[in-house]
């Protein structure tokens, strides 16, 4: 890609590969400014205030779960955030049902981590194993359409599976490992797609000749029904804690024989290959920038350390890249050439295809007005 005025923020590490980035006269970008204005209050809340909020919240969850087999659903990916969230929930005396969506790409490490954690904590685990041939065909349709967010499939199905379990048991709270301290910076608009866009998933599937039969999907209207009719809330649970990633990993290792991943979201072989190879090669996107920029803003890492990490390849070693590439090709039934051709084709936007984006924007405006 031509280096037209490449610029990097002097405070965080976001740069002009985020197309809508803006800098002020000092060279500070809109991403970390957003963090400062909207997320700082949560991340740097005093422990006193936080613990008051936490106690109140736990009380509500327990009350809502009375005479039910569980008082909350906890989404569990096998990554550090959700694993640590589960550990904390048990410490508070909550009675979660752990829910995992297995899309057939779990790394062995992740599978073991989940197993150790669930048995160590003695919680029930519901695993939804995705219909692989259908999922594979949907992935293929996304690749054929040259859209960026292939992980929309995982994220949407994961949301659907969590909400379905909550409804099944009459549970009002879904606690997730999402949090402001490590994820509070907004994703650049063209780096992913709206996670509730069931219409887009179906349209891309249809374009590829796939009819969605068993794939658990969820749209904006489904979300509203879950929220307004069933009263189910999605809660970024780690925002009730002073979440320090390194400390969390140490604790998980010590208590549950947890094995750490080199980077965020590397618990899935596909996510690793997608973020470490496909995104940089085809879309000129390195998601580590956003993640590291967030850690810089929440004082978990210095800007210098973050820049140093970004100098290295997203893959720990060439050998691991090679292994993952081979695994990916075999699983998708691709040749080296299929991959080459795919990488060379121009990316296309999700909303070049049918999508719920108009409804989405409408609801967002409505919500803002209402607020
Ligand atoms: Zn910045």
């Amino acid at each position: 890609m031509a280096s037209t005025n490449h610029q990097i923020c002097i405070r965080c590490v976001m740069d002009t590969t985020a197309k809508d980035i803006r800098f002020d006269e000092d060279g500070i970008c809109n991403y970390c400014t957003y963090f400062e204005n909207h997320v700082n209050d949560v991340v740097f809340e005093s422990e006193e205030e936080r613990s008051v909020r936490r106690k109140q919240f736990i009380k509500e969850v327990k009350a809502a779960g009375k005479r039910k087999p569980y008082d909350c659903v906890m989404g569990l990916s096998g990554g550090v955030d959700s694993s640590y969230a589960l550990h904390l929930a048990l410490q508070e005396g909550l009675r979660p049902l752990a829910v995992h969506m297995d899309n057939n790409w779990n790394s062995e490490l992740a599978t073991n981590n989940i197993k150790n954690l669930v048995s160590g904590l003695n919680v029930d685990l519901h695993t939804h194993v995705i219909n692989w041939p259908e999922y594979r065909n949907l992935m293929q349709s996304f690749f054929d359409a040259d859209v960026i967010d292939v992980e929309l499939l995982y994220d949407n199905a994961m949301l659907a599976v969590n909400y379905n379990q909550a409804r099944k048991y009459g549970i009002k709270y879904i606690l997730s490992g999402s949090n402001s301290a490590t994820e509070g910076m907004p994703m650049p608009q063209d780096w992913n797609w709206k996670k509730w866009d069931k219409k887009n998933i179906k349209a891309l599937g249809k374009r590829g000749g796939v009819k969605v039969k068993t794939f658990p999907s969820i749209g904006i209207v489904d979300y509203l029904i879950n929220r307004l009719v069933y009263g189910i809330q999605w809660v970024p649970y780690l925002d009730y804690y002073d979440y320090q990633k390194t400390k969390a990993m140490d604790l998980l290792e010590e208590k549950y024989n947890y094995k750490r991943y080199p980077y965020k979201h590397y618990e899935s072989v596909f996510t690793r290959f997608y973020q470490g190879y496909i995104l940089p090669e085809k879309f000129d996107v390195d998601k580590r920038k956003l993640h590291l920029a967030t850690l810089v803003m929440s004082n978990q890492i210095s800007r210098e350390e973050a820049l140093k990490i970004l100098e290295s390849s997203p893959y720990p070693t060439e050998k691991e890249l090679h292994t993952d590439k081979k695994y990916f090709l075999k699983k998708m039934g691709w040749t080296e050439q299929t991959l080459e051709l795919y990488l060379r084709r121009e990316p296309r936007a999700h909303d070049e295809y049918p999508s719920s984006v108009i409804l989405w924007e409408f609801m967002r405006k409505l919500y803002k007005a209402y607020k």
Side-chain angles (χ1 to χ4, degrees):
M1 204 156 271
S3 57
T4 41
N5 297 329
H6 182 263
Q7 189 178 348
I8 177 162
C9 173
I10 60 143
R11 179 167 61 178
C12 70
V13 293
M14 289 300 284
D15 66 14
T16 35
T17 57
K19 304 255 174 353
D20 58 352
I21 198 166
R22 297 288 171 268
F23 298 94
D24 68 11
E25 58 268 38
D26 299 320
I28 290 174
C29 81
N30 55 324
Y31 284 92
C32 55
T33 302
Y34 178 94
F35 191 96
E36 193 176 37
N37 294 340
H38 296 94
V39 189
N40 260 10
D41 284 355
V42 180
V43 175
F44 297 109
E45 190 181 16
S46 75
E47 189 45 44
E48 209 181 340
E49 282 172 314
R50 206 191 321 257
S51 91
V52 171
R53 271 199 315 121
R54 180 168 65 234
K55 280 184 188 133
Q56 179 57 32
F57 174 70
I58 302 282
K59 224 167 90 183
E60 284 164 22
V61 176
K62 284 180 179 170
K66 265 201 180 127
R67 287 182 290 280
K68 287 174 187 163
Y70 310 102
D71 48 27
C72 56
V73 160
M74 294 237 29
L76 185 63
S77 68
V80 179
D81 301 349
S82 62
S83 302
Y84 188 59
L86 185 64
H87 159 82
L88 291 171
L90 267 286
Q91 287 227 308
E92 303 285 357
L94 291 174
R95 299 175 295 116
L97 169 66
V99 172
H100 176 63
M101 218 275 294
D102 176 359
N103 70 343
N104 231 273
W105 285 98
N106 273 353
S107 64
E108 225 180 286
L109 211 59
T111 309
N112 280 327
N113 279 341
I114 291 172
K115 209 178 80 192
N116 291 342
L117 197 71
V118 165
S119 69
L121 288 167
N122 196 23
V123 291
D124 288 350
L125 171 70
H126 170 81
T127 300
H128 180 96
V129 180
I130 210 93
N131 175 326
W132 169 244
E134 187 178 329
Y135 194 81
R136 189 219 154 271
N137 291 340
L138 283 170
M139 287 181 79
Q140 184 65 50
S141 315
F142 272 56
F143 288 125
D144 290 341
D146 295 303
V147 291
I148 190 166
D149 198 351
V150 185
E151 292 280 60
L152 171 59
L153 290 168
Y154 179 90
D155 294 331
N156 187 278
M158 182 273 294
L159 290 168
V161 167
N162 277 282
Y163 276 100
N164 290 345
Q165 288 301 307
R167 276 224 308 268
K168 181 176 169 186
Y169 293 103
I171 299 168
K172 303 286 182 205
Y173 294 91
I174 302 175
L175 311 194
S176 84
S178 49
N179 65 91
S180 305
T182 71
E183 304 176 324
M185 213 173 265
M187 181 80 69
Q189 272 182 20
D190 51 349
W191 284 18
N192 76 348
W193 192 243
K194 322 278 182 278
K195 297 303 183 185
W196 300 99
D197 202 345
K198 177 162 91 175
K199 190 172 173 185
N200 200 230
I201 295 175
K202 289 199 163 162
L204 293 174
K206 194 173 164 199
R207 184 176 177 272
V210 191
K211 202 164 163 33
V212 175
K213 285 197 190 114
T214 66
F215 179 79
S217 60
I218 188 165
I220 299 167
V221 175
D222 307 317
Y223 165 74
L224 288 174
I225 292 173
N226 279 312
R227 183 70 190 87
L228 301 174
V229 179
Y230 292 94
I232 303 170
Q233 288 187 53
W234 184 277
V235 182
Y237 183 55
L238 291 177
D239 279 350
Y240 285 104
Y241 296 85
D242 172 26
Y243 180 44
Q244 302 282 335
K245 194 146 193 157
T246 317
K247 275 193 209 156
M249 265 192 280
D250 292 343
L251 179 138
L252 292 171
E253 277 186 336
E254 197 194 304
K255 279 198 123 134
Y256 308 105
N257 196 19
Y258 193 87
K259 302 277 187 297
R260 61 180 71 201
Y261 313 98
Y263 296 116
K264 186 175 170 60
H265 293 321
Y266 274 34
E267 52 268 24
S268 141
V269 181
F270 176 67
T271 306
R272 170 160 100 192
F273 186 65
Y274 169 73
Q275 294 196 359
Y277 188 73
I278 292 178
L279 280 185
E281 293 289 321
K282 185 178 169 85
F283 298 94
D284 194 24
V285 166
D286 184 347
K287 279 199 179 169
R288 294 179 305 167
K289 286 173 191 165
L290 185 75
H291 181 222
L292 291 166
T294 313
L295 293 181
V296 169
M297 289 306 289
S298 62
N299 288 342
Q300 304 204 31
I301 185 174
S302 72
R303 184 170 179 273
E304 288 64 40
E305 282 173 273
L307 287 172
K308 201 153 181 258
I309 294 172
L310 287 172
E311 273 171 27
S312 66
S313 144
Y315 260 92
T317 65
E318 273 298 306
K319 193 168 158 254
E320 277 170 275
L321 170 59
H322 183 73
T323 311
D324 280 0
K325 192 191 265 183
K326 253 176 77 178
Y327 184 87
F328 170 82
L329 293 178
K330 186 156 181 253
K331 209 166 160 84
M332 290 303 294
W334 286 19
T335 61
E336 289 264 358
Q337 209 203 357
T338 324
L339 180 60
E340 273 305 303
L341 288 173
Y342 165 68
L343 292 176
R344 254 185 271 150
R345 285 200 309 265
E346 269 304 300
R348 295 181 64 179
H350 279 265
D351 55 0
E352 287 181 40
Y353 307 99
S355 117
S356 306
V357 72
I358 293 168
L359 178 63
W360 180 280
E361 286 305 321
F362 174 72
M363 300 306 303
R364 213 170 54 95
K365 277 184 196 138
L366 204 68
Y367 177 72
K368 266 196 171 164
Y370 172 75
K371 250 186 136 183

